Amino acid sequence: NFNFIIDSGADASVLNTTSLAKLDYIDLKGSRNIYGIDGNQVQASYVGVKFFSQNHIFLEAFQVLSVPGLDNIQKAHNIEITGILGSTFLKRYGFLIDYKQLNAYTNGKENKVKGT
């Protein structure tokens, strides 16, 4: 079992470097410099991960970064957070977020975005 934070404001999905060893992934060769929320530039590598949830199969390209805040959640609440699912993932799979009930729903099918 893996736990992700859903962040509709994040452009990309992120895997915490401390979680990478526990996953089956494909190295997507290459890296690039990105800017974090704190405005600092860091180098991110990329991996592809296939995971399953409630009979749905999801494929995602993740940036691999050290995210100390996710490690702090584990220390404070004993919940390991594997990474962050960003807006591109949510849009691709047609997620609907119920902010009142704090639930996310999808039919698990990739939705084609016009022009792609």
Side-chain angles (χ1 to χ4, degrees):
N1 289 329
F2 298 99
N3 298 302
F4 289 91
I5 290 176
I6 294 175
D7 186 350
S8 62
D11 288 338
S13 294
V14 174
L15 281 179
N16 196 7
T17 53
T18 58
S19 298
L20 193 59
K22 299 171 188 159
L23 296 168
D24 289 328
Y25 62 90
I26 298 170
D27 186 5
L28 297 178
K29 305 293 179 202
S31 63
R32 69 179 230 207
N33 289 330
I34 62 168
Y35 289 94
I37 194 166
D38 59 1
N40 291 322
Q41 191 176 42
V42 295
Q43 190 171 38
S45 59
Y46 291 84
V47 297
V49 177
K50 179 196 276 187
F51 58 99
F52 306 87
S53 176
Q54 299 178 3
N55 300 318
H56 302 303
I57 299 171
F58 300 104
L59 301 170
E60 182 67 342
F62 286 91
Q63 296 174 343
V64 180
L65 298 169
S66 175
V67 187
L70 298 182
D71 294 328
N72 292 341
I73 291 171
Q74 181 174 357
K75 290 175 187 171
H77 302 285
N78 200 29
I79 299 171
E80 182 177 355
I81 304 297
T82 304
I84 298 168
L85 297 174
S87 62
T88 53
F89 175 86
L90 301 173
K91 187 174 184 179
R92 180 180 309 114
Y93 291 104
F95 271 83
L96 297 173
I97 300 173
D98 179 343
Y99 290 98
K100 195 172 195 175
Q101 297 296 318
L102 298 177
N103 288 315
Y105 304 94
T106 183
N107 61 10
K109 295 180 181 175
E110 184 170 355
N111 293 329
K112 296 291 180 188
V113 177
K114 189 174 182 177
T116 61

